[in-house]
Amino acid sequence: MTAEQVAHRVARVFADRHPAWHGALRPVGHGLEAVVFLTELEPYGAVAVKAPWRRFPGGSYGAGVDCRALLRQERVLAAWAAAAGLPVARPLALHETDDQDLLVSAYVEGDDRPPDPAGLGALLSRLHAAPPPELVPVVHGPSGDFRTALAARIPDRLDRVERLAGEALAADRSRLDAGRLRAALPVRPGRLLHMDFRAANLRCRGGAIRAVLDWSNAAIADPAFELARMHEAGTLTDAVLDGYGDRDWAARVPPAARILYHLDAALMFALVFRLGAPDPERAAGATERARVLLAELPAALERQASA
């Protein structure tokens, strides 16, 4: 599927839902899930149009992920974040058709400067401090319970990585029973986590963050889960943590839970860099990181269970 093919489908939706529109659709971004176009749309002016490549992307997302549900979630969470005083692209319209689903949002222009690390950390702290919205995020799965979903997702991701890598990463799979993993995850007040806080999903000007984009991976869970994901991505620098106001966050996470948070991220990157954005070197690095974490997990589970 190409951006041009998606643009043709978007144009057909606009012809039906916005008959006065006669503009052009210029691609301004894309990811594993969707392509984003810039156009002019009355009465809003410049808008961003997020259009999934396909409704069920598969690949590193896994079977059954529905991009229609993700667009609905993004509309709700962006509206919630705006009401909470957080910088977002204001959602304007959601169109669902058999041909193409799309979300229209206010276009927020940025420049090429990366976000100020301290400002990024401070914004992340504000997000984690806010009472979460009344929503069950898509990643929570059918149960609606994040701990249940994460405990099931880790063995599933491990199976997929091992098949792709052609080797076993865990010496003892009996330790990875979903019930045991769920019991190792702490029961803490959940906060809204963005779970993809990186430059591609931030609109900045002069280093100041003007909008947080793409809430597809959002969860309501322990904030340490997001920090662990950023650590594995290499984006959780000391400067970011200084802005966040907590360099010692990891010390307060139970040892097995901390490993599980990092392991989920390492396995995700091992899949993404094989399926979604192929990069053999980074895929190998994420796979080796998962192997190391899996070797540390049994002892951590024993220590945590006996504490």
Side-chain angles (χ1 to χ4, degrees), residues 1-226:
M1 183 68 63
T2 67
E4 184 177 4
Q5 289 171 315
V6 178
H8 284 311
R9 298 205 303 255
V10 171
R12 288 197 293 269
V13 175
F14 272 20
D16 178 57
R17 304 295 177 88
H18 303 277
W21 175 81
H22 297 289
L25 293 161
R26 179 164 67 89
V28 291
H30 64 84
L32 303 181
E33 165 203 341
V35 58
V36 179
F37 301 98
L38 170 64
T39 192
E40 294 282 332
L41 184 65
E42 294 296 336
Y44 308 117
V47 298
V49 182
K50 183 174 184 178
W53 298 103
R54 53 188 63 84
R55 181 167 173 183
F56 298 96
S60 57
Y61 272 83
V65 172
D66 184 352
C67 285
R68 175 171 292 178
L70 294 177
L71 289 182
R72 291 174 178 175
Q73 172 176 286
E74 182 155 354
R75 179 178 62 170
V76 171
L77 291 183
W80 170 87
L86 300 169
V88 292
R90 182 168 54 91
L92 303 171
L94 174 62
H95 299 309
E96 298 175 356
T97 73
D98 292 339
D99 197 25
Q100 177 72 54
D101 293 340
L102 56 91
L103 177 64
V104 179
S105 303
Y107 180 70
V108 180
E109 193 163 0
D111 57 26
D112 293 331
R113 290 185 58 180
D116 169 65
L120 189 153
L123 177 57
L124 192 63
S125 178
R126 288 172 57 201
L127 175 65
H128 291 173
E134 294 292 331
L135 173 90
V136 178
V138 172
V139 298
H140 287 214
S143 72
D145 177 66
F146 172 76
R147 293 167 67 231
T148 299
L150 183 60
R153 187 168 78 182
I154 288 172
D156 177 67
R157 283 181 169 174
L158 177 59
D159 286 342
R160 298 172 67 203
V161 171
E162 287 184 334
R163 286 197 300 270
L164 291 167
E167 59 176 324
L169 302 183
D172 183 2
R173 289 295 296 265
S174 67
R175 306 274 187 169
L176 298 178
D177 171 76
R180 188 176 190 186
L181 298 185
R182 185 184 184 280
L185 297 170
V187 180
R188 294 178 171 174
R191 292 292 184 263
L192 182 63
L193 316 180
H194 180 272
M195 295 308 297
D196 203 6
F197 235 64
R198 57 192 175 96
N201 289 330
L202 302 171
R203 283 289 178 271
C204 303
R205 182 167 287 281
I209 299 172
R210 303 184 64 204
V212 180
L213 311 175
D214 192 357
W215 296 82
S216 297
N217 295 300
I220 295 178
D222 180 1
F225 182 54
E226 178 145 46

